[in-house]
Amino acid sequence: MNPLQTLRFAVGGLAANKVRSGLTMLGILIGVAAVILLLAVGNGSEQAVVNSIDALGTNSLTVTSGTSSATSTATAIQPLTVADAKALADTAQAPDIAGVAPEVTTSQTAIYNGVSHSVSSVIGTYPAYFEASNSKVTTGDYFSDEDVLNSRKVCVIGSTTATDLFGTASPIGKTITLGGTPFTVVGELATKGSSSSSFNDPDDTIIAPLPAVQNAFTGFGSLSQILVEATSASTTTQATNEITTILMGTHDITSASAVDFRVSSQTTLLATRSSSTQTLTVLLGTVAAISLLVGGIGITNIMLVTVTERTREIGIRKAIGAPKGVILGQFLAESTLLSLIGGGLGVVAALIGAHFTIVGIKPVVIPESVYGAFGIAVAIGLFFGSYPANRAASLRPIDALRHE
């Protein structure tokens, strides 16, 4: 029997039980589609993190309070203060630092003309924040150092906040009520794009002078963090060393192992977040692979039923001279055809599904996952079909013909 005849017999065998064959293919289809889509979701999440961190700028450094090392000998944690930020802004001590922006962060409800919107990130800071965080104003203007000195209640809002409060109207010059305090909008930021992976929209923000936010909401205590801009991407290491030296002085720390603050660059943030999202991707891929394995077990089950139902047919064919290899090839062809068609349809379903947003994440398909999932599906058909095929090929003709 040539390959074409084997294929024709296999198609005929599957067509004889269309519903059963369709359900078996459905198991493989779901498994392949799940592997491709879940890996695409994980990859999309990682891409969103990379884009979000890149948007902050490559020469930005973030200083936060606390220790990051398990071997730290710090006995107490001093909070970051405006005095620390002013010390970092001394160009004589820190020639590789271009700008310093102390930050306090809170969340408040903004109201305009009866429209209410909960703002996830209300930031009090200095004008240097805009340059250090790569935040550009598209309409209106930034607030100034004079606004900070006079604690003026002015603000720059993100594009999501502007759309939710003002719709298509310009927000510039309008007064919003933020947590019961009126603020005048002086500028609107350019859209950075949703960071869906972190479930935090960077465009849903309001940025105002530091004293105004401290006076209205957070109080004049510790800072949330200090954002520092190095003079260039190549001087971030020098800037990090200068920050460490200056803050050790302001916090009266003499040992490097006892520092009570952390300095993070975008590179370290990216590495940390990428590691987290890669773990998520592996977890999702593993779960999906299990569903593909279950689909393979379904093939074994169906092929065993098929062999049992066609035992007499096998006996007749062997009685008239069909060799063991022909019987083996026929049933292997059927199981492989099931996984081939199911896998192909699964790839199509996954590529269609990748055009939709899933749990707030835009999937980014990994080409290797498409080839890998399809190849594994075909291999599963061969592997899980080999036992029933071998069982059929090993039947003795006399026993097969006696089968009722």
Side-chain angles (χ1 to χ4, degrees):
M1 185 181 289
N2 60 42
L4 190 60
Q5 287 177 314
T6 302
L7 182 63
R8 187 165 59 82
F9 268 92
V11 171
L14 295 181
N17 295 285
K18 295 184 179 66
V19 175
R20 193 164 67 191
S21 300
L23 291 175
T24 307
M25 290 178 194
L26 184 62
I28 297 296
L29 183 156
I30 292 172
V32 169
V35 168
I36 297 172
L37 265 182
L38 291 182
L39 288 177
V41 169
N43 189 42
S45 173
E46 185 176 348
Q47 289 294 322
V49 170
V50 171
N51 294 337
S52 176
I53 292 178
D54 279 350
L56 292 176
T58 56
N59 56 339
S60 297
L61 298 166
T62 304
V63 185
T64 52
S65 184
T67 62
S68 57
S69 173
T71 59
S72 173
T73 58
T75 55
I77 307 296
Q78 296 184 50
L80 296 172
T81 64
V82 173
D84 291 328
K86 288 180 177 176
L88 294 176
D90 184 351
T91 54
Q93 295 187 67
D96 294 300
I97 292 178
V100 178
E103 290 181 46
V104 291
T105 306
T106 184
S107 57
Q108 296 291 333
T109 299
I111 302 173
Y112 176 74
N113 271 358
V115 178
S116 175
H117 172 67
S118 180
V119 183
S120 59
S121 177
V122 176
I123 299 172
T125 186
Y126 287 175
Y129 172 87
F130 297 104
E131 185 69 26
S133 64
N134 199 24
S135 301
K136 309 293 184 187
V137 164
T138 52
T139 56
D141 204 352
Y142 306 96
F143 58 77
S144 64
D145 289 328
E146 188 177 348
D147 292 326
V148 174
L149 287 172
N150 292 289
S151 190
R152 288 174 182 152
K153 293 181 175 55
V154 293
C155 65
V156 176
I157 63 177
S159 57
T160 298
T161 309
T163 301
D164 287 354
L165 285 177
F166 301 97
T168 57
S170 172
I172 309 305
K174 307 286 193 327
T175 298
I176 61 174
T177 302
L178 187 62
T181 303
F183 279 78
T184 301
V185 180
V186 296
E188 179 182 344
L189 295 173
T191 301
K192 286 189 172 183
S194 175
S195 178
S196 52
S197 62
S198 62
F199 307 102
N200 184 24
D201 183 357
D203 297 315
D204 186 17
T205 185
I206 293 179
I207 304 168
L210 177 66
V213 174
Q214 288 178 314
N215 186 44
F217 309 120
T218 66
F220 294 89
S222 60
L223 300 173
S224 302
Q225 63 180 26
I226 300 174
L227 189 62
V228 177
E229 182 189 12
T231 51
S232 69
S234 61
T235 60
T236 54
T237 302
Q238 295 92 318
T240 300
N241 294 334
E242 291 164 5
I243 291 169
T244 303
T245 302
I246 293 171
L247 291 187
M248 284 179 67
T250 57
H251 289 198
D252 293 326
I253 297 171
T254 56
S255 172
S257 63
V259 294
D260 58 356
F261 54 86
R262 297 185 295 268
V263 184
S264 306
S265 67
Q266 303 311 316
T267 303
T268 56
L269 282 175
L270 182 61
T272 304
R273 298 297 298 273
S274 293
S275 175
S276 301
T277 52
Q278 282 170 2
T279 302
L280 174 67
T281 302
V282 171
L283 181 63
L284 292 175
T286 303
V287 172
I290 291 173
S291 67
L292 190 55
L293 182 66
V294 172
I297 294 172
I299 288 180
T300 303
N301 184 40
I302 292 303
M303 292 308 298
L304 283 173
V305 172
T306 301
V307 169
T308 302
E309 288 179 349
R310 294 162 62 184
T311 300
R312 285 181 65 82
E313 175 195 328
I314 295 168
I316 293 170
R317 293 186 64 190
K318 296 193 81 171
I320 61 176
K324 182 177 178 180
V326 170
I327 303 298
L328 184 71
Q330 178 188 339
F331 285 95
L332 270 181
E334 286 188 23
S335 64
T336 306
L337 204 56
L338 280 173
S339 60
L340 196 67
I341 297 173
L345 292 175
V347 169
V348 173
L351 294 179
I352 293 173
H355 287 84
F356 299 93
T357 300
I358 301 174
V359 292
I361 298 172
K362 180 64 179 172
V364 178
V365 174
I366 306 171
E368 291 80 3
S369 71
V370 177
Y371 305 131
F374 184 72
I376 290 172
V378 175
I380 280 177
L382 274 171
F383 179 77
F384 284 95
S386 60
Y387 172 68
N390 188 58
R391 184 176 174 181
S394 301
L395 285 172
R396 294 174 60 200
I398 188 66
D399 294 335
L401 288 170
R402 285 176 179 170
H403 182 77
E404 294 294 334

XYZ file of all heavy atoms in Angstrom, residues 175-252:
555
model
N -10.724 74.681 36.042
C -10.440 74.378 37.452
C -11.157 73.097 37.855
O -12.371 72.974 37.674
C -10.906 75.530 38.356
O -10.184 76.720 38.008
C -10.648 75.209 39.825
N -10.396 72.148 38.358
C -10.969 70.894 38.845
C -10.889 70.873 40.367
O -10.059 71.581 40.958
C -10.230 69.664 38.273
C -8.747 69.675 38.712
C -10.334 69.616 36.758
C -7.976 68.428 38.316
N -11.761 70.100 40.957
C -11.701 69.906 42.414
C -11.034 68.561 42.682
O -11.545 67.507 42.289
C -13.111 69.930 43.023
O -13.723 71.173 42.701
C -13.037 69.794 44.535
N -9.888 68.623 43.349
C -9.116 67.403 43.605
C -9.101 67.145 45.106
O -8.476 67.899 45.868
C -7.687 67.585 43.066
C -6.777 66.358 43.098
C -7.328 65.241 42.230
C -5.366 66.743 42.629
N -9.839 66.127 45.522
C -9.927 65.819 46.946
C -10.451 66.995 47.757
O -10.026 67.198 48.904
N -11.341 67.795 47.154
C -11.930 68.944 47.839
C -11.148 70.236 47.662
O -11.579 71.291 48.123
N -9.989 70.187 46.988
C -9.154 71.377 46.794
C -9.146 71.758 45.316
O -8.901 70.895 44.464
C -7.709 71.106 47.255
O -7.724 70.703 48.622
C -6.845 72.345 47.098
N -9.418 73.037 44.994
C -9.420 73.427 43.575
C -8.000 73.536 43.012
O -7.113 74.103 43.639
C -10.114 74.799 43.607
C -9.866 75.329 44.978
C -9.809 74.146 45.891
N -7.794 72.966 41.836
C -6.532 73.055 41.101
C -6.844 73.525 39.674
O -7.816 73.054 39.067
C -5.810 71.708 41.043
C -5.029 71.363 42.270
C -5.679 70.888 43.406
C -3.642 71.503 42.299
C -4.960 70.572 44.549
C -2.916 71.179 43.441
C -3.572 70.711 44.571
N -6.026 74.433 39.158
C -6.202 74.908 37.784
C -5.292 74.116 36.848
O -4.089 73.980 37.105
C -5.853 76.400 37.676
O -6.708 77.135 38.564
C -6.054 76.906 36.249
N -5.865 73.582 35.780
C -5.093 72.789 34.821
C -4.311 73.736 33.905
O -4.893 74.612 33.254
C -6.021 71.887 33.974
C -5.198 71.070 32.975
C -6.834 70.970 34.865
N -2.987 73.557 33.871
C -2.156 74.414 33.016
C -1.566 73.649 31.835
O -1.027 74.249 30.908
C -1.007 75.063 33.829
C -1.561 75.991 34.892
C -0.103 73.988 34.452
N -1.632 72.317 31.867
C -1.050 71.553 30.769
C -1.604 70.132 30.715
O -2.125 69.622 31.711
N -1.513 69.541 29.528
C -1.917 68.139 29.351
C -0.734 67.370 28.776
O -0.095 67.806 27.810
C -3.118 68.032 28.410
C -3.557 66.581 28.180
C -4.723 66.465 27.201
O -5.382 67.497 26.949
O -4.954 65.354 26.686
N -0.446 66.207 29.355
C 0.707 65.410 28.935
C 0.407 64.600 27.678
O -0.746 64.228 27.420
C 1.108 64.440 30.054
C 1.626 65.069 31.356
C 1.801 63.987 32.415
C 2.943 65.788 31.117
N 1.460 64.321 26.927
C 1.335 63.425 25.775
C 1.048 62.015 26.278
O 1.469 61.633 27.370
C 2.631 63.435 24.962
N 0.334 61.250 25.481
C -0.007 59.875 25.857
C 1.241 58.996 25.859
O 2.023 58.994 24.913
C -1.035 59.296 24.874
O -2.204 60.116 24.903
C -1.398 57.866 25.243
N 1.413 58.257 26.964
C 2.553 57.336 27.053
C 2.173 55.930 26.636
O 3.029 55.106 26.355
C 3.091 57.303 28.491
C 3.879 58.547 28.872
C 4.545 58.351 30.208
C 5.487 59.508 30.518
N 6.211 59.310 31.786
N 0.883 55.633 26.689
C 0.451 54.270 26.377
C 0.194 53.519 27.644
O 0.911 53.665 28.630
N -0.859 52.666 27.575
C -1.270 51.941 28.770
C -0.280 50.871 29.150
O 0.126 50.079 28.321
C -2.648 51.290 28.544
O -2.982 50.495 29.643
N 0.111 50.865 30.405
C 0.953 49.779 30.943
C 0.044 48.727 31.518
O -0.130 48.598 32.704
C 1.889 50.312 32.022
O 2.643 49.271 32.563
N -0.581 47.965 30.594
C -1.602 47.015 31.031
C -1.056 45.924 31.930
O -1.761 45.380 32.749
C -2.267 46.379 29.806
O -1.274 45.868 28.944
N 0.235 45.592 31.745
C 0.780 44.513 32.540
C 0.856 44.851 34.007
O 0.782 44.000 34.864
C 2.176 44.152 32.047
O 3.020 45.262 32.194
N 1.036 46.141 34.309
C 1.135 46.520 35.708
C -0.207 46.974 36.260
O -0.300 47.360 37.399
C 2.157 47.660 35.865
O 1.713 48.793 35.155
N -1.267 46.900 35.428
C -2.593 47.284 35.831
C -2.610 48.721 36.332
O -3.357 49.093 37.209
C -3.140 46.327 36.898
C -3.070 44.880 36.476
C -2.076 44.052 36.960
C -3.956 44.372 35.545
C -1.992 42.731 36.547
C -3.886 43.058 35.130
C -2.903 42.232 35.636
N -1.728 49.584 35.803
C -1.639 50.969 36.211
C -1.441 51.815 34.973
O -0.420 51.721 34.306
C -0.463 51.130 37.192
C -0.377 52.544 37.726
O -1.372 53.269 37.741
N 0.812 52.932 38.147
N -2.417 52.636 34.667
C -2.363 53.446 33.462
C -1.474 54.664 33.725
O -1.818 55.511 34.544
C -3.788 53.878 33.097
C -3.826 54.665 31.807
O -2.744 54.922 31.240
O -4.935 55.017 31.373
N -0.318 54.783 33.051
C 0.566 55.928 33.294
C -0.031 57.256 32.825
O 0.477 58.311 33.195
C 1.828 55.575 32.485
C 1.342 54.648 31.428
C 0.226 53.861 32.040
N -1.087 57.201 32.026
C -1.728 58.433 31.560
C -2.853 58.886 32.481
O -3.465 59.916 32.240
C -2.276 58.217 30.138
C -1.157 57.913 29.152
O -0.133 58.615 29.205
O -1.297 56.969 28.363
N -3.140 58.072 33.514
C -4.146 58.480 34.489
C -3.422 59.108 35.671
O -3.214 58.487 36.710
C -4.965 57.257 34.934
C -6.113 57.652 35.845
O -6.478 58.846 35.870
O -6.655 56.764 36.534
N -2.999 60.357 35.498
C -2.161 61.001 36.519
C -2.424 62.501 36.575
O -2.882 63.104 35.585
C -0.669 60.738 36.212
O 0.132 61.255 37.251
C -0.250 61.392 34.911
N -2.154 63.075 37.712
C -2.179 64.524 37.894
C -0.881 64.909 38.596
O -0.527 64.320 39.626
C -3.401 64.981 38.723
C -4.696 64.739 37.940
C -3.279 66.448 39.115
C -5.953 65.137 38.680
N -0.159 65.859 38.025
C 1.132 66.289 38.578
C 1.021 67.752 38.994
O 0.605 68.597 38.185
C 2.248 66.098 37.533
C 2.287 64.641 37.057
C 3.605 66.489 38.121
C 3.145 64.430 35.831
N 1.359 68.038 40.236
C 1.201 69.385 40.783
C 2.448 69.752 41.581
O 3.272 68.892 41.909
C -0.043 69.431 41.673
N 2.623 71.051 41.895
C 3.775 71.467 42.713
C 3.814 70.722 44.047
O 2.767 70.504 44.676
C 3.542 72.966 42.907
C 2.750 73.371 41.711
C 1.843 72.202 41.422
N 5.015 70.345 44.480
C 5.184 69.546 45.697
C 4.520 70.173 46.928
O 3.755 69.489 47.631
C 6.679 69.310 45.944
C 7.035 68.545 47.210
C 6.538 67.103 47.150
C 8.548 68.566 47.449
N 4.761 71.481 47.217
C 4.158 72.034 48.440
C 2.636 72.032 48.400
O 1.980 71.876 49.441
C 4.700 73.474 48.479
C 5.892 73.476 47.593
C 5.617 72.463 46.538
N 2.062 72.209 47.201
C 0.598 72.243 47.093
C 0.006 70.882 47.447
O -1.011 70.788 48.156
C 0.193 72.651 45.673
N 0.633 69.805 46.967
C 0.133 68.449 47.266
C 0.381 68.103 48.728
O -0.463 67.500 49.405
C 0.813 67.425 46.334
C 0.418 65.994 46.710
C 0.448 67.701 44.884
N 1.558 68.511 49.247
C 1.841 68.231 50.663
C 0.856 68.958 51.565
O 0.354 68.397 52.544
C 3.275 68.657 50.994
C 4.353 67.750 50.407
C 5.755 68.230 50.729
O 6.052 69.423 50.589
N 6.610 67.323 51.141
N 0.579 70.214 51.213
C -0.327 71.025 52.043
C -1.754 70.474 51.991
O -2.465 70.457 53.003
C -0.304 72.481 51.547
C -1.099 73.389 52.452
O -1.002 73.316 53.672
N -1.919 74.259 51.852
N -2.180 70.004 50.821
C -3.567 69.569 50.660
C -3.797 68.122 51.078
O -4.874 67.776 51.585
C -4.000 69.761 49.203
N -2.800 67.254 50.860
C -3.075 65.813 51.013
C -2.099 65.047 51.913
O -2.522 64.318 52.812
C -3.081 65.141 49.626
C -3.953 65.820 48.622
C -3.412 66.332 47.455
C -5.315 65.975 48.848
C -4.202 66.970 46.529
C -6.125 66.617 47.922
C -5.563 67.122 46.753
N -0.812 65.140 51.652
C 0.130 64.202 52.281
C 0.809 64.724 53.541
O 1.368 63.930 54.301
C 1.238 63.809 51.279
O 2.030 64.965 50.976
C 0.640 63.262 49.982
N 0.786 66.029 53.741
C 1.517 66.593 54.851
C 2.994 66.769 54.501
O 3.487 66.193 53.528
N 3.708 67.551 55.317
C 5.109 67.874 55.012
C 6.057 66.882 55.697
O 6.945 67.268 56.446
C 5.408 69.311 55.441
C 4.647 70.325 54.635
C 3.373 70.733 55.031
C 5.176 70.864 53.468
C 2.665 71.659 54.279
C 4.466 71.781 52.710
C 3.195 72.172 53.112
N 5.827 65.606 55.452
C 6.674 64.593 56.071
C 7.666 64.032 55.073
O 8.334 64.759 54.337
N 7.757 62.715 55.048
C 8.734 62.052 54.181
C 8.259 62.031 52.731
O 7.064 62.214 52.437
C 8.948 60.621 54.663
O 7.728 59.909 54.619
N 9.217 61.816 51.834
C 8.918 61.725 50.408
C 8.627 60.271 50.029
O 9.084 59.343 50.700
C 10.115 62.223 49.592
C 10.563 63.669 49.832
C 11.863 63.943 49.061
C 9.476 64.652 49.401
N 7.883 60.088 48.953
C 7.665 58.732 48.431
C 8.935 58.220 47.768
O 9.326 57.056 47.937
C 6.520 58.733 47.420
O 5.339 59.222 47.995
N 9.576 59.085 46.999
C 10.836 58.751 46.337
C 11.445 60.016 45.758
O 10.825 61.083 45.755
C 10.626 57.717 45.221
C 9.741 58.209 44.083
C 9.565 57.148 43.000
O 9.670 55.967 43.248
N 9.296 57.581 41.772
N 12.675 59.887 45.288
C 13.345 61.006 44.611
C 13.739 60.523 43.226
O 14.412 59.492 43.089
C 14.597 61.470 45.390
C 14.214 61.939 46.791
C 15.287 62.609 44.635
C 15.424 62.283 47.667
N 13.301 61.254 42.206
C 13.660 60.908 40.827
C 14.852 61.773 40.421
O 14.818 63.006 40.554
C 12.473 61.172 39.898
C 12.606 60.659 38.459
C 12.759 59.142 38.445
C 11.383 61.067 37.646
N 15.903 61.110 39.965
C 17.143 61.807 39.612
C 17.442 61.574 38.139
O 17.323 60.451 37.644
C 18.326 61.283 40.464
C 19.638 61.955 40.046
C 18.059 61.527 41.945
N 17.832 62.637 37.450
C 18.217 62.522 36.044
C 19.731 62.677 35.920
O 20.293 63.707 36.319
C 17.518 63.593 35.209
C 17.850 63.496 33.730
C 17.341 64.691 32.951
O 16.930 65.683 33.586
O 17.381 64.643 31.714
N 20.389 61.641 35.407
C 21.829 61.739 35.158
C 22.070 62.609 33.925
O 21.170 62.803 33.097
C 22.422 60.352 34.952
N 23.271 63.140 33.802
C 23.557 64.022 32.670
C 23.462 63.291 31.332
O 23.178 63.905 30.305
C 24.963 64.640 32.817
O 25.911 63.566 33.062
C 25.010 65.615 33.984
N 23.691 61.971 31.342
C 23.517 61.167 30.135
C 23.384 59.705 30.539
O 23.619 59.345 31.699
C 24.715 61.332 29.182
O 25.865 60.723 29.738
N 22.999 58.866 29.570
C 22.841 57.431 29.869
C 24.167 56.793 30.270
O 24.189 55.819 31.026
C 22.259 56.722 28.651
N 25.279 57.367 29.778
C 26.591 56.778 30.071
C 27.118 57.186 31.444
O 28.139 56.647 31.889
C 27.599 57.187 28.990
O 27.738 58.591 28.976
N 26.463 58.137 32.116
C 26.963 58.591 33.432
C 26.071 58.142 34.585
O 26.186 58.666 35.693
C 27.089 60.128 33.460
O 25.785 60.699 33.218
C 28.074 60.629 32.429
N 25.199 57.183 34.325
C 24.303 56.740 35.406
C 25.067 56.060 36.546
O 24.683 56.183 37.705
C 23.246 55.766 34.855
O 23.897 54.698 34.164
C 22.280 56.451 33.916
N 26.148 55.367 36.204
C 26.942 54.714 37.260
C 27.601 55.761 38.154
O 27.555 55.654 39.393
C 28.028 53.815 36.634
O 27.399 52.850 35.805
C 28.835 53.108 37.709
N 28.204 56.788 37.544
C 28.808 57.856 38.333
C 27.749 58.578 39.165
O 27.975 58.901 40.349
C 29.518 58.868 37.421
C 30.722 58.298 36.674
C 30.357 57.755 35.310
O 29.334 57.103 35.154
N 31.206 57.998 34.320
N 26.586 58.832 38.557
C 25.507 59.513 39.288
C 25.037 58.659 40.467
O 24.768 59.184 41.559
C 24.346 59.799 38.342
N 24.969 57.348 40.264
C 24.572 56.445 41.358
C 25.575 56.534 42.514
O 25.182 56.591 43.690
C 24.495 54.990 40.846
O 23.531 54.916 39.804
C 24.108 54.036 41.960
N 26.851 56.552 42.180
C 27.877 56.660 43.229
C 27.766 57.989 43.974
O 27.939 58.046 45.200
C 29.272 56.513 42.606
C 29.502 55.115 42.041
O 28.881 54.156 42.499
N 30.377 55.008 41.055
N 27.504 59.059 43.231
C 27.366 60.380 43.870
C 26.146 60.417 44.789
O 26.193 60.976 45.891
C 27.260 61.456 42.785
C 28.570 61.647 42.017
C 28.395 62.399 40.708
O 27.280 62.864 40.433
O 29.382 62.502 39.952
N 25.046 59.811 44.340
C 23.838 59.768 45.184
C 24.142 59.013 46.478
O 23.787 59.454 47.577
C 22.689 59.068 44.419
C 22.219 59.927 43.262
C 21.515 58.775 45.365
C 21.281 59.204 42.307
N 24.811 57.873 46.342
C 25.121 57.058 47.522
C 26.001 57.831 48.503
O 25.744 57.844 49.718
C 25.834 55.760 47.085
O 24.997 55.060 46.165
C 26.123 54.863 48.281
N 27.020 58.489 47.966
C 27.932 59.244 48.832
C 27.204 60.376 49.557
O 27.365 60.568 50.779
C 29.088 59.826 47.989
O 29.767 58.765 47.337
C 30.063 60.587 48.863
N 26.397 61.130 48.820
C 25.700 62.284 49.418
C 24.693 61.844 50.471
O 24.631 62.387 51.584
C 25.015 63.115 48.312
C 26.066 63.770 47.419
C 24.080 64.157 48.910
C 25.509 64.428 46.181
N 23.890 60.818 50.151
C 22.862 60.387 51.109
C 23.464 59.700 52.331
O 22.904 59.779 53.431
C 21.853 59.461 50.423
C 20.947 60.135 49.379
C 19.879 59.172 48.885
C 20.278 61.382 49.947
N 24.614 59.027 52.153
C 25.290 58.477 53.332
C 25.702 59.607 54.260
O 25.659 59.474 55.489
C 26.515 57.658 52.906
C 26.177 56.290 52.323
S 27.650 55.354 51.806
C 28.442 55.051 53.376
N 26.071 60.760 53.667
C 26.431 61.923 54.479
C 25.230 62.527 55.181
O 25.263 62.811 56.385
N 24.122 62.720 54.439
C 22.940 63.345 55.062
C 22.273 62.424 56.075
O 21.589 62.894 56.985
C 21.916 63.737 53.982
O 21.560 62.568 53.234
C 22.474 64.788 53.041
N 22.468 61.098 55.928
C 21.857 60.149 56.874
C 22.852 59.683 57.946
O 22.546 58.766 58.710
C 21.320 58.926 56.117
C 20.103 59.217 55.301
N 19.251 58.239 54.830
C 19.577 60.395 54.864
C 18.267 58.798 54.134
N 18.456 60.106 54.131
N 24.037 60.298 57.942
C 25.075 59.957 58.937
C 25.390 58.461 58.933
O 25.457 57.794 59.974
C 24.640 60.381 60.354
C 24.558 61.890 60.492
O 25.369 62.580 59.848
O 23.655 62.374 61.209
